[in-house]
Amino acid sequence: MMKKISFLFVFLMGLAGMSICSAGPVKLACVGNSITEGAFIPNNFQNSYPGILMQMLGDGYDVRNFGVSGTTTLSKGNYPYISTRKYKEALEFLPDIVTIKLGTNDTKSFNWVHGAEYERDLISIIESFRSLSSKPRIILCLPVPALDYSSKSINDSTLQASIIPTIQKVAKQYGLEMVDLHEAMKPYASFFPDRIHPTAEGSALMASVIYKALTGSEYEGKVDVTKPFPGSRDAWKGFDSYSFFYHGRKVQIAVPKENTSHASEKPWIYTSSDFSDLDLELLGRGFHVVSYLSQDMDEMDGEDGETVSEVCKAAGNISDLLEIFKRYYGFSEKCALESNSVDFIQKNASSSFAIYYSGKEGSVGNVTEPLISLNRCGKSNNTLFETLDGTENTEAVSDFISRYRPGYEKYQNIHYRGTLKNAFTKFISDRKGCVAFLGGSITEMDGWKNMIEEDLKQRFPSCEFTFIEAGISSLGSIPHSFRMDEDVLQKGTPDLLFVEAAVNDDTNSRGMYLSQTRAMEGIVRHALSSNPNMDIVMLHFIYDPFIPLHASKISPDVIMNHERIANWYSISSIDLSDEIASRMENKEFTWEQFGGTHPAHFGHKFYAATINRLFDENMKTLFSDGRLSILQKPHELPSEMLDSLSYERGKFVDIHTAQKLKGFSFVESWNKPKEGISTRKQYVNVPMLIASEAGSSLEFSFEGTAVGVYGTFGPNSCVIEYSVDGAPYRTLDTYTKWSGNLYLPWVYIIEDELSSSSHKLSLRIAKGEKQELMIYKFVINE
């Protein structure tokens, strides 16, 4: 099938791509020696006099520098210009205009012994250009002064006595134009620090003299030798841009704002079309965007499965341009390609190219089948990317490009323990999968969770997923451990479980590290007991109090506490708190831009991107000796627990099992009684056991090592008095710092170091100003 192919070239130092051009610029070839080449001038591609001419003349001219250091006009000189590759390239260029500035190196004594042949050799060079089919306009330049008159090497006396008169004679003989750079540059000795080679400022003055000869008028613009890129400065969509021709193709570079995210890391992208909304999106993310306009690509159709060499050829010979950017701007010469063929990937997976795969419209991210093909070729260290061809979803594509650019992973803090192979192989082999998300409000809200659900559907397009969304605002590890059965396992058996609790654990129960350890260990053991093949990922999110700790290189205690569990049970974990703090410290964005504790859409994308990377790395574990392995290996629970009293068998117990109720009553569909006070949606129109008078009491019999109450604690939440197994009564104030404005869902652990046997809880409301208690569930650890 014939199909138009687009190509995306990506530097390993920053993502990149190339674009298409209309012909017609005036082609100007600058022939010369080191003074033309721009020796000793920083960034001489743009600050040599040919480079500055390119800036002065603008987009209507394709100015090329064919200067070669040390060369002579003399064919018997130590380095004849006619022996160089640049000379042949200048002829092949078929220029419309040629400037010739040679003669300086001919004055060296060991060259000038052949001085009698200078005129003949100059005419030979002129004739070679005159004979071209382009019939170029030829301009001879008199050499700039050689200011060290005592030199035994290059010397001005030979220039003035012999070289310049000969050039003048030949110019008159052939009716050629002539530019007197010798006289023009005499007053500017400070522009020649080594007495021979001009500075960038000297080159600018030379360019202005040649510009007047070319155009007949003085250059009225301002030459800027400090600007970052060659060509003329313009603007595109509010961003600075620079345009110039290189090897017959128009180059346009759009530059991000100074303080844009990642700008200091120089990410680059080249595009195979004119600048688009996608490029605008990438500029906003700190990418430099380059359009390299190739005449060939617009006409090219080809079969799927093009070879790398065919693709590179079709895209135009970019090696010289890549060399310039490598040399002057610090990029690697390696590029990556895009094709529409899985066969292309298979053929070229062993090459040095990372490969972009152009997927179906509507999907962004890695896809399973091409990745399998790539790994079967034994190139598991290559990264497979999928991009959209012609999609309007520029944000999704730019997200994808941003997170896979080299260097992005610098701040990602992933602890790889075990693998996700069990879950991934089940998604492929059974084509059915269950994924649960257990956490607080950051998990409950639309954000990273939804992005990961979409990513999984794209990675495993043949899999029918069940997603259990068990995020509830305000809840940390302690309530999670008791609601595992009702909120997760009764809705399905997860193959993959995400759990997060760092923010709410630090907010709700700072200092209760023992209970947090028991809770998080309980969640893990409960999950693996229900399904030994379940893979678990632990996440640590960020909120305000964590930021100064990270700035001081201190990991928050609650994260360290959870990490003990992840390490003990070989669970992969991601410290997103540390990553976001590091990115903010690196000025990638502010806390306000991120969105705060409850991230904006912008912030959630960082969470999702790092989970994506965990997925990418774990996809590699699916293959053994290049073959897909679908065997699952159960996770072995350590025989020894970190805490023998962890809430492994935590569960809810229905409030209707309470006994000897005094002052308590059941409300089968509770709704918040006080206007203007918020609650969580999961706790409205549900059964509640409620009392509102001092002295109200109940008893609750249970078996297990721990007991507590799970309720909503609002403006009138009371002090309770409790006793287990007839022990002296103790008190617990259920009013929280949020209760004034919120019926807060909360688990109060009353006792959690009991013997594993039968027990009885006695509970009553103490006298006081606040006398309300609303119990949603009893909690026990059997």
Side-chain angles (χ1 to χ4, degrees):
M1 180 180 70
M2 300 297 289
K3 193 173 188 180
K4 177 165 277 190
I5 300 177
S6 61
F7 305 90
L8 181 64
F9 296 84
V10 180
F11 285 113
L12 297 185
M13 286 290 291
L15 295 167
M18 315 244 134
S19 185
I20 304 170
C21 162
S22 58
V26 176
K27 296 192 288 184
L28 169 58
C30 296
V31 170
N33 47 38
S34 57
I35 297 168
T36 299
E37 185 179 10
F40 310 118
I41 297 175
N43 199 357
N44 63 347
F45 175 72
Q46 67 190 61
N47 288 330
S48 59
Y49 74 78
I52 293 172
L53 269 174
M54 178 167 54
Q55 178 186 160
M56 291 176 166
L57 293 166
D59 289 352
Y61 284 77
D62 179 358
V63 182
R64 301 199 194 179
N65 188 336
F66 294 103
V68 182
S69 292
T71 52
T72 63
T73 306
L74 289 162
S75 61
K76 293 180 181 178
N78 69 314
Y79 191 9
Y81 184 79
I82 60 171
S83 70
T84 66
R85 181 173 61 88
K86 288 287 187 183
Y87 171 63
K88 296 179 178 63
E89 289 177 354
L91 295 172
E92 292 168 358
F93 181 40
L94 296 177
D96 300 303
I97 305 172
V98 181
T99 63
I100 300 174
K101 197 209 140 319
L102 289 165
T104 302
N105 292 307
D106 295 277
T107 67
K108 297 175 182 177
S109 57
F110 50 81
N111 287 325
W112 197 243
V113 294
H114 308 290
E117 300 174 19
Y118 184 84
E119 180 178 338
R120 184 198 68 186
D121 290 342
L122 175 60
I123 291 172
S124 177
I125 292 173
I126 292 169
E127 287 289 358
S128 67
F129 284 101
R130 278 167 54 92
S131 65
L132 294 175
S133 60
S134 61
K135 301 302 178 186
R137 171 187 175 188
I138 299 174
I139 301 174
L140 301 182
C141 299
L142 302 185
V144 298
L147 299 175
D148 190 351
Y149 297 101
S150 64
S151 172
K152 295 180 181 179
S153 183
I154 293 173
N155 63 89
D156 199 64
S157 58
T158 304
L159 282 178
Q160 294 193 63
S162 301
I163 299 289
I164 290 175
T166 302
I167 295 173
Q168 291 170 328
K169 175 186 175 183
V170 171
K172 183 177 182 180
Q173 178 182 343
Y174 281 85
L176 302 179
E177 298 171 71
M178 193 171 58
V179 175
D180 192 348
L181 294 175
H182 192 272
E183 286 299 315
M185 301 306 293
K186 262 186 180 180
Y188 300 99
S190 62
F191 288 165
F192 296 86
D194 69 350
R195 317 299 285 171
I196 301 294
H197 299 94
T199 60
E201 291 78 10
S203 289
L205 182 55
M206 292 172 64
S208 68
V209 175
I210 298 172
Y211 175 88
K212 184 175 181 180
L214 289 170
T215 65
S217 59
E218 300 283 351
Y219 180 65
E220 295 182 355
K222 182 180 179 182
V223 175
D224 183 3
V225 297
T226 65
K227 63 188 180 65
F229 303 107
S232 55
R233 189 199 305 262
D234 204 343
W236 182 75
K237 303 278 189 177
F239 292 89
D240 283 348
S241 67
Y242 299 84
S243 300
F244 58 96
F245 280 89
Y246 188 79
H247 280 207
R249 296 174 176 87
K250 185 177 178 181
V251 180
Q252 186 175 4
I253 303 174
V255 183
K257 307 292 185 186
E258 258 185 57
N259 296 322
T260 306
S261 168
H262 311 311
S264 63
E265 298 180 43
K266 293 185 178 177
W268 284 69
I269 188 157
Y270 291 78
T271 160
S272 58
S273 63
D274 290 326
F275 286 159
S276 65
D277 289 343
L278 174 59
D279 301 308
L280 188 63
E281 177 90 22
L282 290 165
L283 277 166
R285 294 169 184 244
F287 282 85
H288 295 72
V289 182
V290 178
S291 173
Y292 182 71
L293 304 174
S294 166
Q295 298 160 329
D296 304 333
M297 291 174 63
D298 197 32
E299 304 167 358
M300 197 209 73
D301 286 327
E303 298 286 349
D304 285 349
E306 300 283 343
T307 66
V308 169
S309 60
E310 288 169 341
V311 170
C312 282
K313 182 178 179 182
N317 183 1
I318 62 166
S319 60
D320 289 336
L321 182 65
L322 296 180
E323 180 62 29
I324 282 175
F325 281 94
K326 184 179 90 166
R327 180 174 177 185
Y328 297 114
Y329 303 114
F331 306 125
S332 166
E333 72 277 11
K334 292 185 180 180
C335 64
L337 304 174
E338 174 188 7
S339 169
N340 291 325
S341 170
V342 174
D343 183 53
F344 174 89
I345 295 171
Q346 291 173 317
K347 285 180 180 179
N348 298 290
S350 60
S351 73
S352 61
F353 294 88
I355 299 173
Y356 263 72
Y357 177 80
S358 183
K360 295 180 181 179
E361 186 169 353
S363 62
V364 177
N366 290 320
V367 289
T368 305
E369 294 304 321
L371 185 59
I372 292 172
S373 299
L374 184 66
N375 279 278
R376 282 177 178 165
C377 292
K379 196 65 179 177
S380 60
N381 61 329
N382 265 3
T383 302
L384 176 70
F385 299 153
E386 178 188 15
T387 65
L388 295 187
D389 196 3
T391 181
E392 294 180 359
N393 190 353
T394 59
E395 181 186 1
V397 177
S398 60
D399 284 344
F400 187 80
I401 292 171
S402 294
R403 72 175 183 248
Y404 285 106
R405 66 176 181 83
Y408 179 86
E409 71 281 2
K410 177 179 179 180
Y411 299 113
Q412 291 179 320
N413 192 342
I414 303 175
H415 301 286
Y416 295 96
R417 306 182 183 96
T419 72
L420 304 183
K421 183 178 178 181
N422 285 349
F424 285 3
T425 55
K426 186 172 185 296
F427 300 159
I428 294 171
S429 60
D430 289 6
R431 298 193 174 188
K432 286 187 180 292
C434 181
V435 182
F437 301 87
L438 182 64
S441 55
I442 303 171
T443 297
E444 181 181 23
M445 68 189 297
D446 287 345
W448 71 271
K449 171 192 76 241
N450 310 77
M451 298 173 191
I452 294 305
E453 290 176 357
E454 185 62 29
D455 180 84
L456 287 168
K457 287 188 285 188
Q458 291 166 18
R459 288 176 189 269
F460 307 99
S462 300
C463 182
E464 179 183 339
F465 280 101
T466 298
F467 294 115
I468 301 173
E469 298 183 349
I472 299 180
S473 295
S474 305
L475 300 191
S477 62
I478 296 173
H480 293 342
S481 64
F482 294 101
R483 66 189 190 94
M484 276 289 294
D485 275 328
E486 186 168 305
D487 288 354
V488 178
L489 298 176
Q490 289 180 19
K491 298 178 180 180
T493 302
D495 304 298
L496 177 61
L497 170 68
F498 291 92
V499 59
E500 59 88 6
V503 170
N504 282 333
D505 272 4
D506 194 68
T507 301
N508 300 349
S509 48
R510 187 173 297 164
M512 296 175 61
Y513 301 125
L514 183 60
S515 294
Q516 291 167 10
T517 300
R518 290 174 177 173
M520 189 58 78
E521 184 173 28
I523 293 167
V524 170
R525 293 187 68 90
H526 197 154
L528 294 178
S529 296
S530 70
N531 176 16
N533 289 329
M534 188 189 306
D535 293 327
I536 302 174
V537 178
M538 189 181 295
L539 307 174
H540 312 307
F541 296 139
I542 189 170
Y543 84 132
D544 302 72
F546 289 170
I547 297 172
L549 292 175
H550 287 300
S552 299
K553 309 305 179 187
I554 298 171
S555 184
D557 287 342
V558 67
I559 292 178
M560 296 295 290
N561 204 36
H562 292 170
E563 279 295 301
R564 289 183 61 226
I565 307 302
N567 189 61
W568 189 252
Y569 289 92
S570 297
I571 293 169
S572 288
S573 62
I574 306 178
D575 191 347
L576 295 153
S577 178
D578 177 68
E579 175 185 344
I580 300 307
S582 297
R583 292 190 186 280
M584 289 192 297
E585 189 173 354
N586 194 47
K587 310 298 183 186
E588 288 190 17
F589 47 78
T590 65
W591 185 232
E592 290 72 25
Q593 289 171 322
F594 181 76
T597 301
H598 298 97
H601 177 69
F602 170 85
H604 274 285
K605 290 190 291 189
F606 287 92
Y607 287 169
T610 304
I611 299 170
N612 290 145
R613 183 181 169 215
L614 176 69
F615 285 174
D616 291 342
E617 294 301 314
N618 275 276
M619 291 294 282
K620 299 173 185 177
T621 67
L622 300 179
F623 301 90
S624 175
D625 300 324
R627 300 175 64 85
L628 175 65
S629 169
I630 57 173
L631 296 176
Q632 291 183 306
K633 182 180 180 181
H635 298 285
E636 294 184 6
L637 285 173
S639 56
E640 185 179 347
M641 299 166 63
L642 279 175
D643 191 320
S644 61
L645 295 172
S646 71
Y647 309 149
E648 177 183 5
R649 294 173 300 280
K651 61 184 289 187
F652 289 157
V653 179
D654 193 288
I655 51 177
H656 293 88
T657 60
Q659 305 162 339
K660 297 184 179 180
L661 302 181
K662 177 185 175 183
F664 278 90
S665 60
F666 295 104
V667 177
E668 297 303 328
S669 184
W670 177 81
N671 204 334
K672 55 182 181 178
K674 194 165 184 176
E675 290 301 322
I677 306 299
S678 301
T679 189
R680 304 304 185 203
K681 62 184 180 181
Q682 295 86 351
Y683 304 98
V684 177
N685 300 320
V686 296
M688 288 281 186
L689 180 57
I690 299 175
S692 56
E693 293 182 3
S696 298
S697 63
L698 60 77
E699 291 183 359
F700 171 62
S701 298
F702 66 97
E703 290 189 3
T705 63
V707 65
V709 292
Y710 185 16
T712 57
F713 300 94
N716 296 311
S717 291
C718 66
V719 174
I720 62 173
E721 298 173 335
Y722 64 90
S723 169
V724 176
D725 298 336
Y729 276 87
R730 291 189 287 174
T731 62
L732 173 65
D733 190 350
T734 66
Y735 186 88
T736 75
K737 61 183 178 180
W738 299 279
S739 293
N741 299 305
L742 172 67
Y743 288 100
L744 183 70
W746 202 279
V747 170
Y748 282 109
I749 302 297
I750 290 174
E751 293 283 2
D752 66 349
E753 295 188 356
L754 301 169
S755 61
S756 183
S757 59
S758 298
H759 303 281
K760 183 177 70 176
L761 168 67
S762 299
L763 183 151
R764 65 194 182 204
I765 296 177
K767 293 180 181 180
E769 181 182 349
K770 299 178 176 62
Q771 298 182 354
E772 185 176 67
L773 181 61
M774 293 180 289
I775 303 175
Y776 171 59
K777 301 284 186 182
F778 292 105
V779 299
I780 64 169
N781 186 56
E782 288 185 323

